[in-house]
Amino acid sequence: MARIDEIESDVFRLSIFSTESGFQYNAFLVRDEEPLLYHTGPKLLFSQFSQAAASLIDLKQLRWISYSHFESDECGALNEWLTIAPQAEAVTGIVGVAVNGEFAIRPIRGLQDNEVFSTGKKSFRYLRTPHLPHGWDAGMLFEETDRTLFTSDLFHQNGDVEPITETSLMARFKEVLQNSQSPFSNYIPYTLHTEEQLRRLADLKPKTLAVMHGSSYKGDGKSVLEELIKVFQEM
């Protein structure tokens, strides 16, 4: 079963380390009046992730399933989750719905940039971030109550690392970006719009960065995102 760690109040990091890929797959379960899952994980890991989630909530009560962009670890097991949770509705950006929405067994709700929805005590804002981390359908969720930013592949780290850290993620992420032997080398493009998007995220002043591959971060998220701007400019 996946390892479970509470990284913020009622925000649980479900993590599975893959020896084949050399990094962790992390999904995030938000326990609230209307529970939310961020990242479905790939189909092959559905059994482990769903068992972990079932130890925290009644899966039939899962209400929201969200993800950044169309990719196997982001939404590969979406239909399995929709099947086990009949009340659940998938939500992602309008571009993702328009381009890839037909793969789901139930309609996916498309979110406009800056659209907000509530799960009860927590409030989520959708931020459209095309090509950050990658893909024109990319976006992120920001939980406004506790200021948690779900960063998808941004800040990817290799290895079976600790669930959460207060140390900057930049050294590990920079290694992934610059490692010429890695298939992920340069997998996050730097475009004319990247700095603008990162500054927008930094201005949210997140207190927690919920990272899909690697440790999550707790601390001054604004400074970490501003540090990332400098890293991209130097590459």
Side-chain angles (χ1 to χ4, degrees), residues 83-171:
T83 298
I84 205 170
Q87 294 189 92
E89 182 178 16
V91 291
T92 193
I94 56 172
V95 174
V97 174
V99 176
N100 297 305
E102 289 187 348
F103 84 99
I105 59 174
R106 291 201 295 274
I108 302 174
R109 174 179 165 183
L111 300 174
Q112 299 281 349
D113 187 39
N114 269 323
E115 185 170 345
V116 176
F117 67 96
S118 173
T119 58
K121 296 179 181 178
K122 297 182 183 292
S123 178
F124 291 85
R125 180 176 299 275
Y126 175 76
L127 304 162
R128 185 168 180 263
T129 59
H131 305 292
L132 185 72
H134 38 250
W136 70 316
D137 57 330
M140 298 182 189
L141 283 186
F142 179 61
E143 200 288 295
E144 298 182 317
T145 307
D146 296 309
R147 311 196 74 79
T148 299
L149 179 64
F150 295 83
T151 68
S152 181
D153 292 302
L154 204 61
F155 302 112
H156 175 128
Q157 308 141 60
N158 290 330
D160 194 9
V161 294
E162 69 274 31
I164 193 162
T165 183
E166 295 181 2
T167 303
S168 174
L169 305 173
M170 205 54 57

Coordinates of all heavy atoms in Angstrom, one line a residue, residues 83-171:
T83 N -15.3 4.8 -11.4 CA -16.1 3.6 -11.3 C -16.3 3.3 -9.8 O -17.4 2.9 -9.4 CB -15.4 2.4 -12.0 OG1 -15.3 2.7 -13.4 CG2 -16.2 1.1 -11.8
I84 N -15.3 3.4 -9.0 CA -15.4 3.1 -7.6 C -16.1 4.2 -6.8 O -16.5 3.9 -5.7 CB -14.0 2.8 -7.0 CG1 -14.1 1.8 -5.8 CG2 -13.2 4.0 -6.7 CD1 -12.7 1.3 -5.4
A85 N -16.1 5.4 -7.3 CA -16.7 6.5 -6.6 C -17.8 7.1 -7.5 O -17.6 8.0 -8.3 CB -15.7 7.6 -6.3
P86 N -19.0 6.6 -7.4 CA -20.1 7.0 -8.3 C -20.5 8.4 -8.2 O -21.1 9.0 -9.2 CB -21.3 6.0 -7.9 CG -21.0 5.5 -6.6 CD -19.5 5.5 -6.5
Q87 N -20.2 9.1 -7.1 CA -20.6 10.5 -6.9 C -19.5 11.4 -7.5 O -19.7 12.7 -7.6 CB -20.8 10.9 -5.5 CG -22.0 10.2 -4.8 CD -22.2 10.8 -3.4 OE1 -23.0 11.7 -3.3 NE2 -21.6 10.2 -2.4
A88 N -18.4 10.9 -7.8 CA -17.2 11.7 -8.1 C -17.3 12.4 -9.5 O -17.8 11.8 -10.4 CB -15.9 10.9 -8.1
E89 N -16.9 13.6 -9.6 CA -16.8 14.4 -10.8 C -15.4 14.8 -11.0 O -14.7 15.3 -10.1 CB -17.7 15.6 -10.7 CG -17.7 16.5 -12.0 CD -18.7 17.6 -11.9 OE1 -19.1 18.0 -10.8 OE2 -19.0 18.2 -13.0
A90 N -14.9 14.6 -12.2 CA -13.5 15.0 -12.6 C -13.6 16.5 -13.0 O -14.5 16.9 -13.7 CB -13.0 14.1 -13.7
V91 N -12.5 17.2 -12.6 CA -12.4 18.6 -12.9 C -11.0 18.9 -13.4 O -10.0 18.5 -12.7 CB -12.8 19.5 -11.8 CG1 -14.3 19.4 -11.5 CG2 -12.0 19.2 -10.5
T92 N -10.9 19.6 -14.5 CA -9.6 20.1 -14.9 C -9.8 21.3 -15.8 O -11.0 21.8 -16.0 CB -8.8 19.0 -15.7 OG1 -7.4 19.4 -15.9 CG2 -9.4 18.7 -17.0
G93 N -8.8 21.9 -16.5 CA -9.0 23.1 -17.3 C -9.8 22.8 -18.5 O -9.9 21.7 -19.0
I94 N -10.3 23.9 -19.1 CA -11.2 23.8 -20.2 C -10.4 23.3 -21.5 O -11.0 22.6 -22.3 CB -11.9 25.2 -20.6 CG1 -10.8 26.3 -20.8 CG2 -12.8 25.5 -19.5 CD1 -11.4 27.6 -21.3
V95 N -9.1 23.6 -21.6 CA -8.4 23.1 -22.7 C -8.2 21.5 -22.6 O -8.4 20.8 -23.6 CB -7.0 23.7 -22.8 CG1 -6.1 23.1 -23.9 CG2 -7.1 25.2 -23.0
G96 N -7.9 21.0 -21.4 CA -7.8 19.6 -21.3 C -9.1 18.9 -21.6 O -9.1 17.8 -22.2
V97 N -10.2 19.5 -21.2 CA -11.5 18.9 -21.5 C -11.8 18.9 -23.0 O -12.2 17.9 -23.5 CB -12.7 19.6 -20.7 CG1 -14.0 19.1 -21.1 CG2 -12.5 19.5 -19.2
A98 N -11.5 20.0 -23.6 CA -11.8 20.1 -25.1 C -10.9 19.1 -25.9 O -11.3 18.6 -26.9 CB -11.5 21.5 -25.5
V99 N -9.7 19.0 -25.5 CA -8.7 18.2 -26.3 C -8.7 16.7 -25.9 O -8.6 15.8 -26.8 CB -7.3 18.7 -26.0 CG1 -6.2 17.9 -26.8 CG2 -7.2 20.2 -26.5
N100 N -8.9 16.3 -24.6 CA -8.8 14.9 -24.2 C -9.9 14.4 -23.4 O -9.9 13.3 -22.9 CB -7.5 14.7 -23.4 CG -6.2 15.0 -24.2 OD1 -6.0 14.5 -25.3 ND2 -5.4 15.9 -23.7
G101 N -11.0 15.2 -23.3 CA -12.0 14.8 -22.3 C -12.8 13.6 -22.7 O -13.4 12.9 -21.8
E102 N -12.8 13.1 -23.9 CA -13.6 12.0 -24.3 C -13.1 10.7 -23.8 O -13.8 9.6 -23.8 CB -13.6 11.9 -25.9 CG -14.5 13.0 -26.5 CD -14.6 12.8 -28.0 OE1 -13.9 11.9 -28.6 OE2 -15.5 13.4 -28.6
F103 N -11.9 10.6 -23.2 CA -11.4 9.4 -22.6 C -12.1 8.9 -21.4 O -12.1 7.8 -21.0 CB -9.9 9.4 -22.4 CG -9.5 10.0 -21.0 CD1 -9.2 9.2 -20.0 CD2 -9.5 11.4 -20.9 CE1 -8.8 9.8 -18.8 CE2 -9.1 12.0 -19.7 CZ -8.8 11.1 -18.6
A104 N -12.8 9.9 -20.7 CA -13.4 9.6 -19.4 C -14.8 9.0 -19.6 O -15.5 9.3 -20.6 CB -13.5 10.9 -18.6
I105 N -15.2 8.1 -18.7 CA -16.5 7.4 -18.8 C -17.6 8.3 -18.4 O -18.8 8.0 -18.7 CB -16.5 6.1 -17.9 CG1 -16.2 6.4 -16.5 CG2 -15.5 5.1 -18.5 CD1 -16.4 5.2 -15.6
R106 N -17.3 9.5 -17.7 CA -18.3 10.5 -17.4 C -17.8 11.8 -17.8 O -16.5 12.0 -17.8 CB -18.7 10.5 -15.9 CG -19.4 9.2 -15.4 CD -20.2 9.5 -14.1 NE -19.4 9.8 -12.9 CZ -18.8 8.8 -12.2 NH1 -19.0 7.5 -12.5 NH2 -18.1 9.1 -11.1
P107 N -18.6 12.8 -18.1 CA -18.2 14.1 -18.5 C -17.2 14.7 -17.5 O -17.5 14.6 -16.3 CB -19.5 14.9 -18.7 CG -20.5 13.9 -18.9 CD -20.1 12.7 -18.1
I108 N -16.2 15.4 -18.0 CA -15.3 16.1 -17.1 C -15.7 17.6 -17.1 O -16.0 18.2 -18.1 CB -13.8 16.0 -17.6 CG1 -13.4 14.5 -17.7 CG2 -12.9 16.8 -16.7 CD1 -12.0 14.3 -18.3
R109 N -15.7 18.2 -15.9 CA -16.1 19.6 -15.8 C -14.9 20.4 -16.1 O -13.8 20.3 -15.6 CB -16.6 19.9 -14.4 CG -16.8 21.4 -14.1 CD -17.3 21.5 -12.7 NE -17.3 22.9 -12.3 CZ -17.6 23.4 -11.1 NH1 -18.0 22.5 -10.2 NH2 -17.5 24.6 -10.8
G110 N -15.0 21.4 -17.1 CA -13.9 22.2 -17.4 C -13.9 23.5 -16.6 O -14.9 24.2 -16.5
L111 N -12.8 23.8 -16.0 CA -12.6 25.0 -15.2 C -12.0 26.2 -16.0 O -11.0 26.0 -16.6 CB -11.8 24.7 -14.0 CG -12.3 23.5 -13.1 CD1 -11.3 23.2 -12.0 CD2 -13.6 24.0 -12.4
Q112 N -12.5 27.3 -15.8 CA -11.9 28.5 -16.3 C -10.8 29.0 -15.5 O -10.7 28.7 -14.3 CB -13.0 29.7 -16.4 CG -14.2 29.4 -17.3 CD -13.9 29.5 -18.7 OE1 -12.9 30.1 -19.1 NE2 -14.8 29.1 -19.6
D113 N -9.9 29.8 -16.0 CA -8.8 30.3 -15.3 C -9.3 31.2 -14.1 O -10.3 32.0 -14.3 CB -7.9 31.2 -16.2 CG -6.6 31.7 -15.4 OD1 -6.1 30.9 -14.7 OD2 -6.2 32.8 -15.7
N114 N -8.8 30.9 -12.9 CA -9.2 31.6 -11.7 C -10.6 31.2 -11.1 O -11.1 31.8 -10.2 CB -9.3 33.1 -11.8 CG -7.9 33.8 -11.5 OD1 -7.3 33.3 -10.5 ND2 -7.5 34.8 -12.2
E115 N -11.2 30.1 -11.7 CA -12.5 29.7 -11.2 C -12.2 29.0 -9.9 O -11.3 28.3 -9.6 CB -13.1 28.7 -12.2 CG -14.5 28.2 -11.8 CD -15.2 27.4 -12.8 OE1 -14.8 27.4 -14.0 OE2 -16.2 26.7 -12.5
V116 N -13.2 29.2 -8.9 CA -13.1 28.7 -7.6 C -14.2 27.7 -7.3 O -15.4 28.0 -7.7 CB -13.1 29.9 -6.6 CG1 -13.1 29.3 -5.1 CG2 -11.9 30.8 -6.8
F117 N -13.9 26.6 -6.6 CA -14.9 25.7 -6.1 C -14.6 25.3 -4.7 O -13.4 25.4 -4.3 CB -15.2 24.5 -7.0 CG -14.0 23.6 -7.1 CD1 -14.0 22.4 -6.3 CD2 -12.9 23.8 -8.0 CE1 -12.9 21.5 -6.4 CE2 -11.9 22.9 -8.0 CZ -11.8 21.8 -7.3
S118 N -15.6 24.9 -3.9 CA -15.4 24.5 -2.5 C -15.6 23.0 -2.3 O -16.5 22.4 -2.9 CB -16.3 25.4 -1.7 OG -16.3 24.9 -0.3
T119 N -14.9 22.5 -1.3 CA -15.1 21.1 -0.9 C -15.7 21.1 0.5 O -15.8 20.0 1.1 CB -13.8 20.3 -0.9 OG1 -12.8 21.0 0.0 CG2 -13.2 20.2 -2.3
G120 N -16.0 22.3 1.0 CA -16.6 22.4 2.4 C -15.8 23.4 3.1 O -16.0 24.6 3.0
K121 N -14.8 23.0 3.9 CA -14.0 23.9 4.7 C -12.9 24.5 3.8 O -12.3 25.6 4.1 CB -13.3 23.2 5.9 CG -14.4 22.8 6.9 CD -13.7 22.0 8.1 CE -14.7 21.5 9.1 NZ -14.0 20.8 10.2
K122 N -12.6 23.9 2.7 CA -11.5 24.3 1.9 C -12.0 24.9 0.5 O -13.0 24.4 0.0 CB -10.5 23.1 1.6 CG -9.8 22.6 2.9 CD -8.8 21.5 2.6 CE -8.2 21.0 3.9 NZ -7.3 21.9 4.6
S123 N -11.2 25.8 0.0 CA -11.6 26.5 -1.2 C -10.5 26.3 -2.3 O -9.3 26.6 -1.9 CB -11.9 27.9 -1.0 OG -12.2 28.6 -2.2
F124 N -10.8 25.9 -3.5 CA -9.8 25.6 -4.5 C -9.9 26.6 -5.7 O -11.0 26.8 -6.2 CB -9.9 24.2 -5.0 CG -9.4 23.2 -4.0 CD1 -10.3 22.7 -3.0 CD2 -8.1 22.7 -3.9 CE1 -10.0 21.8 -2.1 CE2 -7.7 21.8 -3.0 CZ -8.6 21.3 -2.0
R125 N -8.8 27.2 -6.1 CA -8.8 28.0 -7.2 C -8.0 27.3 -8.3 O -6.9 26.9 -8.1 CB -8.1 29.4 -6.9 CG -8.0 30.4 -8.1 CD -7.4 31.7 -7.7 NE -8.3 32.3 -6.6 CZ -9.3 33.1 -6.9 NH1 -9.7 33.3 -8.1 NH2 -10.0 33.6 -5.9
Y126 N -8.6 27.3 -9.6 CA -7.9 26.7 -10.7 C -7.0 27.8 -11.4 O -7.5 28.9 -11.7 CB -8.9 26.1 -11.7 CG -8.2 25.6 -12.9 CD1 -7.5 24.4 -12.9 CD2 -8.2 26.3 -14.1 CE1 -6.8 23.9 -14.0 CE2 -7.5 25.9 -15.2 CZ -6.8 24.7 -15.2 OH -6.1 24.2 -16.3
L127 N -5.8 27.4 -11.6 CA -4.9 28.4 -12.3 C -4.4 27.7 -13.6 O -3.8 26.7 -13.6 CB -3.7 28.7 -11.4 CG -4.0 29.2 -10.0 CD1 -2.8 29.0 -9.1 CD2 -4.4 30.7 -10.1
R128 N -4.7 28.4 -14.7 CA -4.3 27.9 -16.0 C -2.8 28.2 -16.2 O -2.4 29.4 -16.1 CB -5.1 28.5 -17.1 CG -4.8 27.9 -18.5 CD -5.8 28.3 -19.6 NE -5.4 27.7 -20.8 CZ -4.7 28.3 -21.8 NH1 -4.4 29.6 -21.6 NH2 -4.4 27.7 -22.9
T129 N -2.0 27.2 -16.4 CA -0.5 27.4 -16.6 C 0.0 26.7 -17.8 O 0.8 25.7 -17.7 CB 0.2 26.9 -15.3 OG1 -0.1 25.5 -15.2 CG2 -0.2 27.6 -14.1
P130 N -0.4 27.1 -19.0 CA 0.0 26.4 -20.2 C 1.6 26.2 -20.3 O 2.3 27.2 -20.1 CB -0.5 27.2 -21.4 CG -0.8 28.6 -20.8 CD -1.2 28.3 -19.3
H131 N 2.0 25.0 -20.6 CA 3.4 24.6 -20.7 C 4.2 24.8 -19.4 O 5.4 24.8 -19.4 CB 4.1 25.4 -21.9 CG 3.4 25.3 -23.2 ND1 3.3 24.1 -23.9 CD2 2.6 26.2 -23.9 CE1 2.6 24.3 -24.9 NE2 2.1 25.5 -25.0
L132 N 3.5 24.8 -18.3 CA 4.1 24.8 -17.0 C 3.3 23.9 -16.1 O 2.2 24.3 -15.7 CB 4.2 26.2 -16.4 CG 4.9 26.3 -15.0 CD1 6.4 26.2 -15.3 CD2 4.6 27.6 -14.4
P133 N 3.8 22.7 -15.9 CA 5.1 22.1 -16.2 C 5.3 21.8 -17.6 O 6.4 21.9 -18.1 CB 5.2 20.9 -15.3 CG 3.8 20.4 -15.1 CD 3.0 21.7 -15.1
H134 N 4.3 21.3 -18.3 CA 4.4 21.1 -19.8 C 3.0 20.8 -20.3 O 2.1 20.4 -19.6 CB 5.3 19.9 -20.1 CG 5.3 18.8 -19.1 ND1 6.3 18.5 -18.3 CD2 4.3 17.8 -18.9 CE1 6.0 17.4 -17.5 NE2 4.8 17.0 -17.9
G135 N 2.8 20.9 -21.6 CA 1.5 20.7 -22.2 C 0.7 22.0 -22.2 O 0.6 22.7 -21.1
W136 N 0.0 22.3 -23.2 CA -0.8 23.5 -23.3 C -2.1 23.4 -22.4 O -2.8 24.4 -22.1 CB -1.2 23.9 -24.7 CG -2.1 23.0 -25.4 CD1 -2.1 21.7 -25.5 CD2 -3.2 23.4 -26.3 NE1 -3.2 21.2 -26.3 CE2 -3.8 22.3 -26.8 CE3 -3.7 24.7 -26.7 CZ2 -4.9 22.3 -27.6 CZ3 -4.8 24.7 -27.5 CH2 -5.4 23.6 -28.0
D137 N -2.4 22.1 -22.0 CA -3.6 21.9 -21.2 C -3.2 22.0 -19.7 O -4.1 21.9 -18.8 CB -4.2 20.6 -21.4 CG -3.2 19.4 -21.3 OD1 -2.0 19.6 -21.5 OD2 -3.7 18.3 -21.0
A138 N -2.0 22.3 -19.3 CA -1.5 22.3 -17.9 C -2.2 23.3 -17.1 O -2.5 24.4 -17.5 CB 0.0 22.4 -17.8
G139 N -2.4 23.0 -15.8 CA -3.0 23.9 -14.8 C -2.6 23.4 -13.4 O -2.1 22.3 -13.3
M140 N -2.9 24.2 -12.4 CA -2.7 23.8 -11.0 C -3.8 24.2 -10.2 O -4.6 25.1 -10.5 CB -1.4 24.5 -10.5 CG -0.1 24.1 -11.3 SD 1.4 24.9 -10.6 CE 2.6 24.4 -11.9
L141 N -4.0 23.6 -9.0 CA -5.0 24.0 -8.0 C -4.3 24.6 -6.9 O -3.2 24.2 -6.4 CB -5.7 22.7 -7.5 CG -6.8 22.2 -8.4 CD1 -7.6 21.1 -7.6 CD2 -7.8 23.2 -8.9
F142 N -4.9 25.7 -6.3 CA -4.4 26.4 -5.2 C -5.5 26.3 -4.1 O -6.6 26.9 -4.3 CB -4.0 27.8 -5.5 CG -3.5 28.6 -4.3 CD1 -2.3 28.2 -3.6 CD2 -4.1 29.7 -3.9 CE1 -1.9 28.9 -2.5 CE2 -3.7 30.5 -2.8 CZ -2.5 30.0 -2.1
E143 N -5.2 25.7 -3.0 CA -6.1 25.6 -1.9 C -5.9 26.9 -1.0 O -4.9 27.1 -0.4 CB -5.9 24.4 -1.0 CG -7.1 24.0 -0.2 CD -7.3 24.9 1.0 OE1 -6.4 24.9 1.9 OE2 -8.4 25.6 1.0
E144 N -6.9 27.8 -1.0 CA -6.8 29.1 -0.5 C -6.9 29.2 1.0 O -6.3 30.1 1.6 CB -7.9 30.0 -1.1 CG -7.7 30.1 -2.6 CD -8.8 31.1 -3.2 OE1 -10.0 31.0 -2.8 OE2 -8.4 31.9 -4.1
T145 N -7.5 28.2 1.7 CA -7.7 28.3 3.1 C -6.3 28.1 3.8 O -6.0 28.9 4.7 CB -8.7 27.2 3.6 OG1 -9.9 27.3 2.8 CG2 -8.9 27.3 5.1
D146 N -5.6 27.1 3.5 CA -4.3 26.8 4.1 C -3.1 27.2 3.2 O -2.0 26.9 3.5 CB -4.2 25.3 4.5 CG -5.2 25.0 5.6 OD1 -5.3 25.7 6.6 OD2 -6.0 24.0 5.4
R147 N -3.4 27.7 2.0 CA -2.4 28.2 1.0 C -1.5 27.0 0.6 O -0.2 27.1 0.7 CB -1.6 29.3 1.6 CG -2.5 30.4 2.2 CD -1.7 31.7 2.4 NE -1.5 32.4 1.2 CZ -2.4 33.1 0.5 NH1 -3.6 33.2 1.0 NH2 -2.1 33.7 -0.6
T148 N -2.1 26.0 0.1 CA -1.4 24.8 -0.5 C -1.5 24.9 -2.0 O -2.6 24.9 -2.6 CB -2.0 23.5 0.0 OG1 -1.8 23.5 1.4 CG2 -1.2 22.3 -0.6
L149 N -0.3 24.9 -2.7 CA -0.3 24.8 -4.2 C 0.1 23.4 -4.6 O 1.1 22.9 -4.2 CB 0.8 25.8 -4.7 CG 0.9 25.9 -6.2 CD1 -0.3 26.4 -6.9 CD2 2.1 26.8 -6.6
F150 N -0.8 22.8 -5.4 CA -0.5 21.5 -6.0 C 0.2 21.7 -7.3 O -0.4 22.1 -8.3 CB -1.9 20.8 -6.2 CG -2.6 20.5 -4.9 CD1 -3.3 21.5 -4.3 CD2 -2.4 19.3 -4.3 CE1 -4.0 21.2 -3.1 CE2 -3.0 19.0 -3.0 CZ -3.8 20.0 -2.4
T151 N 1.5 21.4 -7.3 CA 2.4 21.8 -8.4 C 2.6 20.8 -9.5 O 3.4 21.1 -10.4 CB 3.8 22.1 -7.8 OG1 4.4 20.9 -7.3 CG2 3.7 23.1 -6.6
S152 N 2.0 19.7 -9.5 CA 2.1 18.7 -10.5 C 3.6 18.3 -10.7 O 4.3 18.0 -9.7 CB 1.6 19.2 -11.8 OG 1.7 18.3 -12.9
D153 N 4.2 18.3 -11.9 CA 5.6 17.9 -12.1 C 6.6 18.9 -11.7 O 7.8 18.7 -11.8 CB 5.8 17.5 -13.6 CG 5.0 16.2 -13.9 OD1 5.3 15.2 -13.3 OD2 4.2 16.3 -14.9
L154 N 6.1 20.1 -11.4 CA 7.1 21.2 -11.0 C 7.7 20.8 -9.7 O 7.1 20.3 -8.8 CB 6.3 22.5 -10.9 CG 7.1 23.8 -11.0 CD1 7.8 23.9 -12.4 CD2 6.2 25.0 -10.7
F155 N 9.1 20.9 -9.7 CA 9.9 20.5 -8.5 C 10.1 19.0 -8.4 O 10.3 18.5 -7.3 CB 9.3 21.1 -7.2 CG 9.2 22.6 -7.2 CD1 8.0 23.2 -7.2 CD2 10.4 23.4 -7.2 CE1 7.9 24.6 -7.2 CE2 10.3 24.8 -7.2 CZ 9.0 25.4 -7.2
H156 N 10.0 18.3 -9.5 CA 10.3 16.9 -9.6 C 11.6 16.6 -9.0 O 12.6 17.2 -9.3 CB 10.2 16.5 -11.1 CG 10.6 15.1 -11.3 ND1 9.8 14.2 -12.1 CD2 11.7 14.3 -11.0 CE1 10.4 13.0 -12.2 NE2 11.5 13.1 -11.5
Q157 N 11.7 15.5 -8.1 CA 12.9 15.1 -7.5 C 13.0 13.5 -7.7 O 12.0 12.8 -7.6 CB 13.0 15.4 -6.1 CG 12.7 16.9 -5.7 CD 11.8 17.0 -4.5 OE1 12.2 16.5 -3.4 NE2 10.7 17.5 -4.6
N158 N 14.2 13.0 -7.9 CA 14.4 11.6 -8.0 C 14.7 11.0 -6.6 O 15.1 11.7 -5.7 CB 15.6 11.3 -8.9 CG 15.3 11.6 -10.4 OD1 14.1 11.5 -10.8 ND2 16.3 12.0 -11.2
G159 N 14.5 9.7 -6.5 CA 14.8 9.0 -5.3 C 13.6 8.8 -4.4 O 12.6 9.4 -4.6
D160 N 13.9 8.0 -3.4 CA 12.8 7.7 -2.3 C 13.0 8.7 -1.2 O 13.6 8.4 -0.2 CB 12.9 6.3 -1.9 CG 11.7 5.8 -1.1 OD1 10.7 6.6 -1.1 OD2 11.7 4.7 -0.5
V161 N 12.6 9.9 -1.4 CA 12.9 11.0 -0.5 C 11.9 11.2 0.6 O 10.8 10.5 0.6 CB 13.1 12.3 -1.3 CG1 14.3 12.3 -2.2 CG2 11.8 12.6 -2.1
E162 N 12.1 12.0 1.6 CA 11.2 12.3 2.7 C 9.9 12.9 2.2 O 9.9 13.6 1.2 CB 11.9 13.2 3.7 CG 12.1 14.6 3.3 CD 13.4 14.9 2.5 OE1 13.9 14.0 1.8 OE2 13.9 16.0 2.6
P163 N 8.8 12.7 2.9 CA 7.5 13.2 2.5 C 7.4 14.7 2.4 O 6.7 15.2 1.5 CB 6.5 12.6 3.5 CG 7.4 12.2 4.7 CD 8.7 11.9 4.2
I164 N 8.1 15.4 3.3 CA 8.0 16.8 3.3 C 9.3 17.4 3.9 O 9.9 16.8 4.8 CB 6.8 17.3 4.2 CG1 6.5 18.8 3.9 CG2 6.9 17.0 5.6 CD1 5.1 19.3 4.3
T165 N 9.7 18.6 3.4 CA 10.9 19.2 3.8 C 10.7 20.7 4.0 O 9.8 21.3 3.3 CB 12.0 18.9 2.8 OG1 13.3 19.5 3.3 CG2 11.7 19.5 1.4
E166 N 11.5 21.3 4.8 CA 11.6 22.8 4.9 C 12.8 23.3 4.2 O 13.0 24.5 4.3 CB 11.5 23.2 6.4 CG 10.2 22.8 7.1 CD 10.2 23.2 8.5 OE1 11.2 23.8 9.0 OE2 9.2 22.9 9.2
T167 N 13.6 22.5 3.5 CA 14.7 22.9 2.8 C 14.3 23.1 1.3 O 13.5 22.4 0.8 CB 15.8 21.8 2.8 OG1 16.2 21.6 4.2 CG2 17.1 22.2 2.1
S168 N 14.9 24.1 0.7 CA 14.5 24.4 -0.7 C 14.6 23.2 -1.6 O 15.6 22.4 -1.5 CB 15.4 25.5 -1.2 OG 15.2 25.7 -2.6
L169 N 13.7 23.0 -2.5 CA 13.7 21.9 -3.4 C 14.6 22.1 -4.6 O 14.7 21.2 -5.5 CB 12.3 21.7 -3.9 CG 11.2 21.5 -2.8 CD1 9.8 21.4 -3.5 CD2 11.4 20.2 -2.0
M170 N 15.2 23.3 -4.7 CA 15.8 23.7 -6.0 C 17.0 22.9 -6.4 O 17.1 22.5 -7.6 CB 16.2 25.2 -5.9 CG 16.3 25.8 -7.2 SD 14.7 25.7 -8.1 CE 13.6 26.4 -7.0
A171 N 17.8 22.5 -5.5 CA 19.0 21.7 -5.8 C 18.6 20.4 -6.5 O 19.2 20.0 -7.5 CB 19.9 21.4 -4.6

